[in-house]
Amino acid sequence: MVEQSSLINSSFKPQDYIGFSTSPELNSLVQGERVLFADKIKKTNLYNWEQERVIVITINGIYNIHKKSIKRKLDFAKISAVTKTISPSSNTREFTIHLPEEYDYRYLSDRRDAIIDIIKRRFYDIKKKNLPMFGTSSPNLKDFTTTEKDKRKQNSRFPPPDMRITNEDLVTSGEVDALKKDSTVENIRE
């Protein structure tokens, strides 16, 4: 069940592990947007190479930053789902952000669960529905990540419905119906 305090609101404490918010130079990259999360992360490219990046999640989107330059901004409204590796896979740090109109982003982070939690909350705040979560015990997410090359060939590696993890939904279907009528989360209580 969702409580008011569980979604992103004014009392949400940002998780900035690299001092991004306190650096005027870095903060200017996101034009002063409220930073919810910032950390170093590994991005896996279409050649399966890991590249060090900075991920910054703001109230408006997810930024992929390299050498103090924005490489890509993912708008929450364009995200369709997230897939993550799950037990018994020995790799419990990997996740892919799916963008059906673009190519996906595949990441590795020790703080994966915190990142996904913030993405799920912002997605819900914007779309008023759960972010579909998918899981696989595969050793990595290569087979479930649509690359730039796949996109050019109009191939999709979106996971099948049987990989959906419904127990990670923020709200139940009954709560979603109530929210559609009310359009505010403040009235939902456990």
Side-chain angles (χ1 to χ4, degrees):
M1 294 223 187
V2 172
E3 295 180 47
Q4 177 183 358
S5 62
S6 66
L7 298 178
I8 305 297
N9 58 32
S10 60
S11 64
F12 180 83
K13 187 176 187 274
Q15 300 172 47
D16 185 349
Y17 297 98
I18 56 173
F20 190 92
S21 302
T22 58
S23 167
E25 178 186 9
L26 293 175
N27 210 18
S28 69
L29 290 173
V30 297
Q31 301 172 357
E33 292 177 26
R34 181 176 171 213
V35 173
L36 305 173
F37 184 94
D39 198 10
K40 290 182 179 176
I41 197 168
K42 299 278 186 189
K43 179 184 91 69
T44 306
N45 71 14
L46 73 138
Y47 302 108
N48 220 27
W49 299 338
E50 291 179 11
Q51 303 168 312
E52 183 138 328
R53 294 289 188 264
V54 168
I55 187 173
V56 178
I57 303 174
T58 70
I59 213 76
N60 296 320
I62 303 166
Y63 290 85
N64 172 30
I65 298 173
H66 180 61
K67 294 184 179 179
K68 299 181 182 179
S69 173
I70 296 171
K71 295 298 179 189
R72 188 173 176 199
K73 179 185 178 188
L74 311 178
D75 292 322
F76 287 109
K78 293 182 178 179
I79 296 172
S80 65
V82 170
T83 299
K84 67 180 188 175
T85 49
I86 57 175
S87 189
S89 175
S90 60
N91 174 10
T92 57
R93 301 172 46 228
E94 191 169 1
F95 66 102
T96 292
I97 301 172
H98 299 286
L99 299 116
E101 302 301 317
E102 304 172 25
Y103 58 93
D104 298 339
Y105 249 134
R106 185 172 152 208
Y107 290 113
L108 282 164
S109 173
D110 290 332
R111 296 186 175 99
R112 175 191 77 176
D113 293 340
I115 293 167
I116 290 173
D117 183 61
I118 292 169
I119 294 170
K120 287 182 349 184
R121 292 167 192 259
R122 279 308 295 148
F123 183 92
Y124 190 87
D125 286 344
I126 291 165
K127 293 196 170 186
K128 301 294 183 227
K129 63 181 184 178
N130 289 305
L131 174 67
M133 290 294 304
F134 293 86
T136 180
S137 59
S138 298
N140 64 56
L141 295 176
K142 181 179 180 182
D143 293 337
F144 304 103
T145 303
T146 303
T147 65
E148 294 169 78
K149 189 176 181 179
D150 292 326
K151 198 67 183 169
R152 284 191 296 271
K153 293 180 178 181
Q154 297 183 347
N155 293 333
S156 174
R157 295 177 185 251
F158 196 82
D162 65 336
M163 289 175 52
R164 177 84 160 81
I165 311 171
T166 56
N167 66 349
E168 290 213 14
D169 288 351
L170 289 177
V171 295
T172 65
S173 58
E175 290 172 322
V176 170
D177 292 340
L179 284 173
K180 285 179 183 173
K181 289 178 185 172
D182 186 33
S183 79
T184 64
V185 176
E186 285 85 20
N187 295 325
I188 293 181
R189 302 281 186 251
E190 276 196 349

